[in-house]
Every structure is written in C-alpha cells, then in structure tokens.
Amino acid sequence: MATLNRSLVVLATLAALLSVAFADSGIATYYTTYVPSACYGYADQGVMIAAGSAALYNNGAGCGKMYRVTCTGAANGGANPCNGQSVTVKLVDLCPGCPGPFDLSQQAFAAIANLDAGRIYVDYQQV
C-alpha cells in the first residue's frame, strides 16, 4: 500500500510539472462590464470569464474555450500580488487593445491576485 501511495504521489507531481511546462505566458488585466460580449451578446455567461487577444479569439473560433490561468508576478513592479491559486475562465469576448492574452473579469482576477496590481504576469493553458 505504501508503494502504491508513493507511486501516486510521483505521478501527480510529474503531471503537475508537465502541465506547467506546457503553459503559455503573458500579461492579464481585468474589466468590469461583461455584456454585451463579442461571443454571446447579452447572454449571461457568469463571472469566471475573460476577453481574449485577437489570437485567442481567433475570429470567434475561440468563443467558449476554457483556460486555466495562474498569476506568476506583478507586471507593474512592486510586491507580488499573486495568491498561489489558479482560476478557470471561459473566453467570451475579444480584447483587441489588451497588452496580453487576457482581460479577466474582476472576479477571476481577484481569485488569483490582488486587484490593486491591475496588471499581472500569468501562465495559462487551455483545458
């Protein structure tokens, strides 16, 4: 039984390391007006949502894709705003002027970092 438990721990550790190894990175900001969105108009999609860069939005083909986003540091300098958590968001909008891949909902941003940061470095991967 102890060998099985050790094996499971090793496998879980390797899976976590591989998921980080294949993550993309960039800058995320946040926004507070969620409708209308380019993907869903006035239909409510909840609050764990994001607008994506033109590359992620992909002329609408990115609508509805889910991403796990993790804060990795402050993009504006200062203290590290990250809380060590990740959040899964649904791509619902286009953000053509964003400095990075995501403009997260305020709630999604707050789930992974202090809102006072405004801009954060993130790792992300489609899930």
Side-chain angles (χ1 to χ4, degrees):
M1 186 68 156
T3 303
L4 177 61
N5 285 340
R6 273 192 296 251
S7 297
L8 290 174
V9 168
V10 169
L11 285 174
T13 303
L14 286 174
L17 290 173
L18 284 174
S19 70
V20 170
F22 293 110
D24 289 313
S25 59
I27 292 177
T29 53
Y30 71 89
Y31 68 115
T32 58
T33 302
Y34 309 143
V35 291
S37 71
C39 298
Y40 300 101
Y42 286 93
D44 183 11
Q45 297 300 305
V47 295
M48 292 305 175
I49 56 175
S53 65
L56 291 179
Y57 180 73
N58 191 19
N59 294 315
C63 291
K65 291 189 177 178
M66 305 292 285
Y67 292 90
R68 183 174 43 247
V69 182
T70 306
C71 178
T72 60
N76 291 332
N80 184 355
C82 306
N83 64 16
Q85 301 297 308
S86 295
V87 66
T88 300
V89 296
K90 180 178 182 179
L91 194 76
V92 300
D93 210 348
L94 169 64
C95 186
C98 287
F102 292 106
D103 197 16
L104 300 170
S105 67
Q106 183 175 5
Q107 292 87 341
F109 191 102
I112 60 173
N114 186 321
L115 288 173
D116 292 339
R119 292 166 43 114
I120 55 174
Y121 291 116
V122 294
D123 285 341
Y124 64 96
Q125 123 181 72
Q126 188 177 342
V127 292

